[in-house]
Amino acid sequence: MLETLIRPKSIAVIGASRTPGKVGYSILNNLISSGFEGKVIPINPSADEILGLKCYKTPTDAGIPIDFTIIVVPNKLVKSALEESYQAGAKSVCVITAGFKEVGPEGALLEKEITQYCKEHRMRLLGPNCLGIINTENNMNASFATQMPRKGSISVISQSGALCTAILDWSVGRGVGLAKLISIGNKADISEIDLLQMLGEDEQTKVIACYLENIVRGEEFIKIAEQVASIKPVVILKVGTTQAGSRAASSHTGSLAGEDIAYGAAFRRAGVIRAETFESLFDYASALAMQPLPKGNRVAVITNAGGPGIMAADAIENSGLQVKPLQSEISSALKQKLPPAASVANPIDVLGDADPERYAMALNAALDDDTIDSVIVILTPQAMTQPAETARAVIKNLRGNKPVLAAFMGGADVMPARDELVLANLPDYPSPERAVYALKAMCDYSAWRRRPPRVVMRFPVNRRRIERIIRRQMREGSTFINEVDAKEILRAYDFYVPPGALARTDEEAVTVADRIGYPVAMKIVSPDIIHKSDIGGVRLNLSNPSQVRDAFDLMMLRVTRKMPNAKILGIYVEKMAKQGREVILGMHRDPQFGPMLMFGLGGIFVEVMKDVSFYLAPITEEEALQMLVGTRSYALLKGTRGQSAVDVHAIAQALQKMSQLATEFPGIHEIDINPFIVGEVGTPPTVADARMILGGLNTSHE
């Protein structure tokens, strides 16, 4: 169905205008001046001819089948324009007109009406409230943008029409060609998911670049994006991810799992390259479209100035890439050809008076070295520098087997050289850092493409025990699963939980403590109390019956004074866990993308530093380990400054079990295991505290 959107044989412009400056005029003029290869039919009941083309009152009056209509009439007339489109046989329509859900309830009702009409009549709808569509393959500028890019291999999906015009200006100004540019506006029907799938199959598109403000149908997006990213790069600039205001959160995981975190986790799972800025969106897309993917992360830098070379080396190391020295035989051969003052270490400094031949020798040496995966060529305009000639020398010696990126620094002096580089498909950046960041995006994507097949481990579990607990919670109308029941659920997934039981009197507490052995911990259990320690609801290391009895009485007294309306179920008496490294495992069910798992070290690392990592469930063992590596404090788990290493594989396995729990029980909205105490290899990790929330979270518990 989208074939008629991007490759129509006939286009009717409903609302074509004779007045320059009007949108209906601009679209018609663009279709004519761009050299569109199909039929263009203006529709205007008040005109006989516009821009030399015969004008018709309705699309059916043209007497030929219409593939695609572009609608530029007031919003209240759009429905009748859709009816005319259907009668003329249109399979796709683009509604340029604004004034729909973006303006309020009345507009939203109109949008719902036109969307429903298109669905009932099997017409695909682009928009409303959009700029239109450009396809350079068939010279179709079906938009009201003022510029037409040259043919290229980058296709763009944009939720903002204004950003489309900025993208076109960038494309024309830098001489970078585009394949398709599609403005999706309100995406009442056609969304980024439809277009990703279509562009994934499009032979002219090598890279897909997107500007998105929101994503619909998150789990479907991940599935399609992963399929597309497996064959070509997808780069997305996602905006609008900060949270205005804050909500009360019942868990550490819930408070840390913001919308931006969810998008990051979704993109990581799908292999999407995330751009943080408008500049980086096209820095990355250009590099991916113009150069081959690197086979590894070892980078050679060629420069005619020490400072920029150091800037590049710093950026490379800080990005997790390697500045790798050339092989000794290659560096020795290069040293024979360069002046004595030149450096053949990495960065390779060819000196400020370097001519094009010197750059070519250095580039060939780096390309000959099979321990180098990519090259960054830096040039600064000095008295003897020949920027344009150097650019041509670099271009002449490209081989196409390794990515080469350029950073020709400066303004007017290097502009002719920069133009030559881009036209030769060699991406050029104004600074070494931007070249490095683009290369980092290429390396990350290349590593994702080389990843092993995902294998999600399944663990044997006792589902009936969990189903009983959830059914009881639902009968009681409570969404908060207390520590006792939360630990029972985790036992069913083979987590180690210290022995313990709920006590309703001080005598019961002593009986439990005598049975399980001292020392013990005691914690208040109430659906109305989430943060137990804040109100004196936790006592640790109690070593005899007298301490247990006193702690029970004092705890009940404090809690009833501070929260007199709280429903107290009792006090949980539990064997004290052995000492070890405290970590936190969590799960938050994102409304768009489903369950997100969280890992972090306990204490200050979560409370203050927020040093945590997230990943979408279900996860593999490798992804679970990556969650650990993804924290700044990972070195503490591996052992440092005399401290023993902990069993990181046991943590990874616990994350996989939580992943399975979240996947198998979608009614569970949040999980916190905090602290989860981990010891040395061979020591089973311990669930010291846990809580869960069912769907329909009531934040008044705070």
Side-chain angles (χ1 to χ4, degrees):
M1 290 287 280
L2 293 184
E3 181 69 15
T4 55
L5 178 76
I6 58 168
R7 298 184 188 89
K9 294 176 181 173
S10 55
I11 300 176
V13 182
I14 303 178
S17 174
R18 292 170 290 191
T19 308
K22 293 250 183 163
V23 174
Y25 179 93
S26 297
I27 290 173
L28 188 65
N29 186 53
N30 283 345
L31 282 167
I32 296 167
S33 60
S34 64
F36 172 60
E37 297 165 4
K39 287 272 190 184
V40 179
I41 299 145
I43 307 298
N44 185 327
S46 305
D48 296 324
E49 181 184 297
I50 303 177
L51 291 172
L53 296 178
K54 181 175 172 54
C55 199
Y56 299 91
K57 287 183 170 53
T58 71
T60 52
D61 292 341
I64 64 168
I66 304 296
D67 287 337
F68 179 34
T69 63
I70 303 168
I71 297 174
V72 201
V73 297
N75 61 352
K76 293 191 175 163
L77 299 179
V78 167
K79 174 76 178 300
S80 61
L82 289 172
E83 291 169 351
E84 292 175 0
S85 300
Y86 173 70
Q87 290 163 8
K91 298 292 190 297
S92 299
V93 294
C94 173
V95 177
I96 303 291
T97 308
F100 290 91
K101 72 180 177 189
E102 78 279 4
V103 300
E106 187 180 346
L109 199 60
L110 274 174
E111 183 169 315
K112 186 177 179 182
E113 188 180 349
I114 66 167
T115 306
Q116 187 62 33
Y117 181 87
C118 288
K119 285 182 178 175
E120 288 173 357
H121 293 81
R122 300 176 64 82
M123 291 191 298
R124 296 308 305 265
L125 166 64
L126 183 65
N129 183 31
C130 69
L131 183 85
I133 179 170
I134 293 175
N135 182 2
T136 59
E137 177 192 355
N138 58 355
N139 301 318
M140 181 181 78
N141 185 350
S143 78
F144 60 94
T146 57
Q147 295 171 299
M148 180 72 173
R150 70 181 182 90
K151 286 182 170 65
S153 58
I154 300 173
S155 283
V156 178
I157 302 167
S158 176
Q159 204 166 339
S160 163
L163 257 291
C164 283
T165 59
I167 290 163
L168 285 169
D169 191 55
W170 167 85
S171 167
V172 173
R174 292 292 292 120
V176 176
L178 299 179
K180 317 282 189 296
L181 185 143
I182 308 169
S183 168
I184 55 178
N186 292 4
K187 49 183 182 178
D189 171 30
I190 295 174
S191 71
E192 63 282 346
I193 297 173
D194 302 295
L195 295 175
L196 278 174
Q197 197 162 19
M198 182 266 290
L199 293 172
E201 299 168 358
D202 180 51
E203 292 182 3
Q204 278 67 43
T205 301
K206 282 182 63 177
V207 177
I208 303 169
C210 307
Y211 168 87
L212 299 174
E213 292 163 9
N214 71 320
I215 288 174
V216 298
R217 308 191 305 276
E219 294 188 40
E220 185 183 352
F221 167 83
I222 292 172
K223 178 184 174 185
I224 298 301
E226 186 173 5
Q227 289 174 3
V228 175
S230 297
I231 53 175
K232 62 184 67 171
V234 178
V235 189
I236 296 181
L237 172 60
K238 169 69 181 68
V239 299
T241 51
T242 56
Q243 290 178 306
S246 62
R247 67 175 180 88
S250 63
S251 65
H252 288 296
T253 311
S255 64
L256 293 168
E259 184 182 349
D260 190 53
I261 296 290
Y263 277 103
F267 291 169
R268 188 162 53 249
R269 159 60 58 81
V272 165
I273 302 150
R274 186 170 193 179
E276 300 297 339
T277 64
F278 180 76
E279 289 80 12
S280 62
L281 177 65
F282 290 99
D283 283 355
Y284 302 170
S286 299
L288 289 158
M290 295 177 179
Q291 290 292 299
L293 290 176
K295 294 182 173 64
N297 66 353
R298 302 164 298 183
V299 188
V301 177
I302 301 169
T303 180
N304 67 343
I310 296 169
M311 290 164 62
D314 285 347
I316 290 166
E317 294 287 354
N318 291 333
S319 296
L321 308 180
Q322 294 184 55
V323 182
K324 183 92 172 49
L326 298 178
Q327 294 181 82
S328 57
E329 62 272 21
I330 291 177
S331 61
S332 297
L334 180 60
K335 193 169 183 61
Q336 300 298 316
K337 300 174 183 176
L338 297 179
S343 171
V344 294
N346 195 2
I348 302 166
D349 190 343
V350 293
L351 303 178
D353 62 348
D355 58 11
E357 185 181 356
R358 210 180 289 174
Y359 266 95
M361 288 189 293
L363 177 59
N364 278 309
L367 294 175
D368 285 340
D369 191 329
D370 57 16
T371 68
I372 296 296
D373 300 306
S374 52
V375 184
I376 293 176
V377 180
I378 301 171
L379 179 143
T380 59
Q382 301 180 42
M384 301 180 68
T385 307
Q386 304 169 53
E389 292 82 353
T390 301
R392 286 193 284 272
V394 170
I395 292 163
K396 184 179 178 182
N397 287 280
L398 294 176
R399 302 179 191 175
N401 61 331
K402 296 179 185 179
V404 178
L405 278 65
F408 276 39
M409 303 172 69
D413 286 350
V414 298
M415 193 54 69
R418 298 186 71 189
D419 291 342
E420 290 206 38
L421 292 170
V422 172
L423 287 171
N425 269 351
L426 201 163
D428 173 66
Y429 301 95
S431 70
E433 291 92 343
R434 280 177 60 176
V436 171
Y437 301 150
L439 183 58
K440 166 67 172 171
M442 297 179 77
C443 289
D444 287 349
Y445 174 66
S446 181
W448 184 86
R449 285 277 294 266
R450 298 193 306 270
R451 74 201 187 286
R454 297 185 71 248
V455 178
V456 176
M457 192 180 299
R458 308 294 293 180
F459 299 89
V461 298
N462 187 338
R463 291 180 58 92
R464 288 185 180 178
R465 193 187 307 178
I466 302 164
E467 288 164 355
R468 281 198 303 270
I469 293 171
I470 292 176
R471 279 198 301 268
R472 187 178 71 244
Q473 295 287 141
M474 292 174 67
R475 282 197 307 270
E476 295 172 356
S478 173
T479 59
F480 174 67
I481 300 179
N482 63 48
E483 179 180 355
V484 180
D485 288 335
K487 285 183 171 178
E488 191 66 18
I489 289 173
L490 293 172
R491 278 195 186 96
Y493 273 79
D494 200 30
F495 282 82
Y496 174 71
V497 179
L502 186 67
R504 292 172 179 81
T505 67
D506 57 351
E507 287 303 322
E508 284 186 12
V510 170
T511 301
V512 173
D514 287 342
R515 176 169 55 81
I516 63 178
Y518 296 93
V520 298
M522 296 175 65
K523 306 169 204 175
I524 199 76
V525 178
S526 167
D528 303 309
I529 301 170
I530 303 298
H531 300 297
K532 302 182 285 283
S533 57
D534 293 351
I535 59 165
V538 177
R539 293 291 302 276
L540 304 175
N541 286 309
L542 303 170
S543 57
N544 58 58
S546 177
Q547 289 182 357
V548 169
R549 191 174 285 106
D550 291 346
F552 188 99
D553 294 339
L554 183 59
M555 194 181 297
M556 293 296 280
L557 179 65
R558 284 177 175 172
V559 170
T560 52
R561 280 180 177 173
K562 290 184 178 180
M563 294 190 67
N565 296 320
K567 180 183 178 183
I568 308 300
L569 301 179
I571 291 178
Y572 189 59
V573 183
E574 182 180 61
K575 179 80 171 174
M576 280 292 298
K578 292 181 180 179
Q579 289 189 334
R581 177 70 65 184
E582 292 189 1
V583 303
I584 177 172
L585 311 183
M587 186 279 293
H588 171 79
R589 196 171 298 278
D590 182 78
Q592 279 284 72
F593 300 109
M596 283 197 305
L597 307 176
M598 186 190 81
F599 167 78
L601 263 66
I604 188 173
F605 296 100
V606 171
E607 300 280 1
V608 179
M609 298 173 64
K610 295 180 170 54
D611 181 22
V612 294
S613 62
F614 285 85
Y615 217 97
L616 286 178
I619 59 169
T620 66
E621 181 180 19
E622 177 62 28
E623 289 162 352
L625 289 169
Q626 283 303 312
M627 287 183 68
L628 276 61
V629 175
T631 59
R632 299 188 300 276
S633 47
Y634 175 67
L636 297 176
L637 298 176
K638 295 294 289 179
T640 183
R641 299 197 176 186
Q643 292 188 338
S644 300
V646 303
D647 192 343
V648 294
H649 287 279
I651 302 174
Q653 187 175 83
L655 284 165
Q656 291 174 82
K657 290 177 182 178
M658 181 184 285
S659 168
Q660 184 174 333
L661 171 59
T663 305
E664 292 180 341
F665 289 91
I668 299 176
H669 188 275
E670 289 188 9
I671 302 172
D672 255 14
I673 304 177
N674 181 31
F676 188 59
I677 300 175
V678 191
E680 297 179 8
V681 175
T683 306
T686 302
V687 177
D689 199 358
R691 66 171 71 110
M692 298 181 189
I693 302 293
L694 295 177
L697 173 63
N698 181 359
T699 55
S700 64
H701 288 148
E702 194 69 3

